[in-house]
Amino acid sequence: MVRLGGGVSFLDNVRRSPVDIVFNIAEGRGSYRSREAQVPAVLEMLGIPYTGSDPLALAIGLDKPLTKRLAATDGVRTPGWCVVGSTVELSEEPWQGLKFPLIIKPAYEGSSKGIRLTSLAGSAREVEAKARRILEDYRQPVMVEEFIDGDEVTVGMVGNAPPRVVGIMRVLPRKPTEHFIYSLEVKKDYVNLVDYECPAQLAEGVLREIEVFSLKVFRLLGCRDFSRLDFRVGPDGRAYFLEINPLPGLGSYSDLVIMALKVGWTYEGLINAVLEAAVGRYPQCAGRLP
Ligand SMILES: Nc1ncnc2c1ncn2[C@@H]1O[C@H](COP(=O)(O)OP(=O)(O)OP(=O)(O)O)[C@@H](O)[C@H]1O
Ligand SMILES: [Mg+2]
């Protein structure tokens, strides 16, 4: 096993070290929406096998509005939204017609970057101020989205043909919270602030819908090996797709790992399942796993 690092040292190391397969966890450099595609693109150019999704799926997955647009065309329910690309567009108030409250988030981020307890807006003035702030701070478009006030659900998927659902996990605030947001503040202090329930104790119908939507989005983007998808369940009892993470975190604190352990996997079992799924598409790797 050799660590390849990131950025320029990755380029040096990958040329120097003969590797059978790369276990990719690289989020890429810069704030480009295609940053997660950087490492897989290099590996494809060099003909080196790697785990996880290809550059296209990773690039699309980081662009939330584009992913939602694609998902919606395939019948996946997603909250109403609009995109504000620049401060000039703020005066057009493209959020007119959306149902308040609205949540304001950067269009190309993950790990709740830019999503805070204060991300909700109850009036046009608030939307404008918060969107302006994100445009300035993150130098990328802003997504203004209808806030679905209901259960927070995340879904882990592993494998291919067909990918299987590891679990559907509900994230519950420990203290009763009006307008719960699984924000940066909450993710940092998850040990004290939330409980994780997996399998989620939700109605059979909505669980089924979440599973169908997850499979659709996974396939639509051409995801591979693993992914994690976020949903909210609305007051109407229906599932609303928020986003997919084709390169979900694998740290011990990450939702996919927490969920896998809760349904009886081991950490090693999860990593091996991802690796085995990847190895299956490279004949040259057959029989070479330890
Ligand atoms: N439309 C919405 N309705 C309700 N809650 C929302 C909505 N959009 C975002 N949230 C809340 O904000 C959290 C983070 O949003 P989102 O999943 O889009 O961001 P992220 O930074 O990409 O997350 P991750 O850490 O999973 O990469 C959600 O898990 C949810 O709690
Ligand atoms: Mg998320």
Side-chain angles (χ1 to χ4, degrees):
M1 209 267 288
V2 47
R3 283 174 194 269
L4 295 171
V8 175
S9 38
F10 162 73
L11 294 176
D12 293 341
N13 290 334
V14 79
R15 294 281 281 139
R16 225 181 280 137
S17 330
V19 292
D20 295 316
I21 187 164
V22 173
F23 196 106
N24 178 36
I25 54 165
E27 290 176 3
R29 293 289 154 108
S31 57
Y32 313 103
R33 69 179 171 163
S34 302
R35 61 186 177 273
E36 290 187 352
Q38 291 167 2
V39 163
V42 169
L43 295 170
E44 288 193 352
M45 187 174 67
L46 298 174
I48 299 174
Y50 63 95
T51 60
S53 292
D54 76 342
L56 184 59
L58 290 164
I60 296 175
L62 212 50
D63 183 329
K64 288 180 183 161
L66 181 58
T67 305
K68 280 165 65 78
R69 188 177 283 253
L70 290 172
T73 60
D74 209 10
V76 173
R77 192 178 308 106
T78 187
W81 83 98
C82 68
V83 177
V84 184
S86 66
T87 48
V88 178
E89 289 172 31
L90 285 174
S91 58
E92 295 161 16
E93 301 201 359
W95 51 84
Q96 283 174 35
L98 295 181
K99 195 165 157 272
F100 281 79
L102 301 173
I103 184 164
I104 322 297
K105 46 190 188 182
Y108 318 141
E109 287 300 340
S111 310
S112 281
K113 276 196 203 110
I115 303 183
R116 315 193 76 98
L117 296 171
T118 52
S119 297
L120 271 191
S123 66
R125 257 183 67 188
E126 268 186 326
V127 177
E128 211 224 287
K130 291 181 184 193
R132 186 179 296 279
R133 181 85 199 268
I134 291 186
L135 285 167
E136 283 162 7
D137 289 355
Y138 289 85
R139 309 246 150 236
Q140 60 177 274
V142 172
M143 190 163 91
V144 178
E145 192 178 45
E146 290 180 354
F147 182 75
I148 307 298
D149 213 352
D151 281 314
E152 170 90 21
V153 173
T154 189
V155 183
M157 303 188 74
V158 169
N160 304 300
R164 67 176 159 138
V165 171
V166 175
I168 300 181
M169 181 165 85
R170 179 155 65 156
V171 184
L172 295 149
R174 232 173 242 173
K175 284 198 207 128
T177 313
E178 215 205 349
H179 305 320
F180 172 65
I181 299 179
Y182 196 20
S183 61
L184 193 63
E185 295 93 335
V186 175
K187 286 180 190 173
K188 276 190 179 153
D189 192 19
Y190 69 98
V191 177
N192 295 310
L193 298 182
V194 291
D195 287 312
Y196 295 104
E197 178 189 83
C198 191
Q201 304 299 303
L202 292 167
E204 206 44 55
V206 76
L207 289 174
R208 178 79 198 119
E209 188 170 53
I210 288 170
E211 190 166 338
V212 169
F213 286 172
S214 298
L215 269 164
K216 274 192 176 183
V217 179
F218 190 100
R219 289 199 169 120
L220 188 65
L221 264 58
C223 291
R224 302 189 311 207
D225 307 341
F226 71 142
S227 271
R228 217 198 74 235
L229 301 94
D230 293 336
F231 291 86
R232 297 284 287 220
V233 178
D236 55 2
R238 303 199 294 179
Y240 290 80
F241 166 69
L242 295 185
E243 60 138 3
I244 181 165
N245 300 287
L247 189 65
L250 288 171
S252 53
Y253 49 83
S254 68
D255 288 342
L256 179 59
V257 173
I258 293 173
M259 143 188 349
L261 297 182
K262 279 195 178 284
V263 293
W265 295 53
T266 60
Y267 185 76
E268 290 71 22
L270 177 64
I271 301 297
N272 276 330
V274 174
L275 187 58
E276 275 165 24
V279 164
R281 83 180 142 262
Y282 301 109
Q284 68 269 41
C285 292
R288 299 202 54 158
L289 275 187

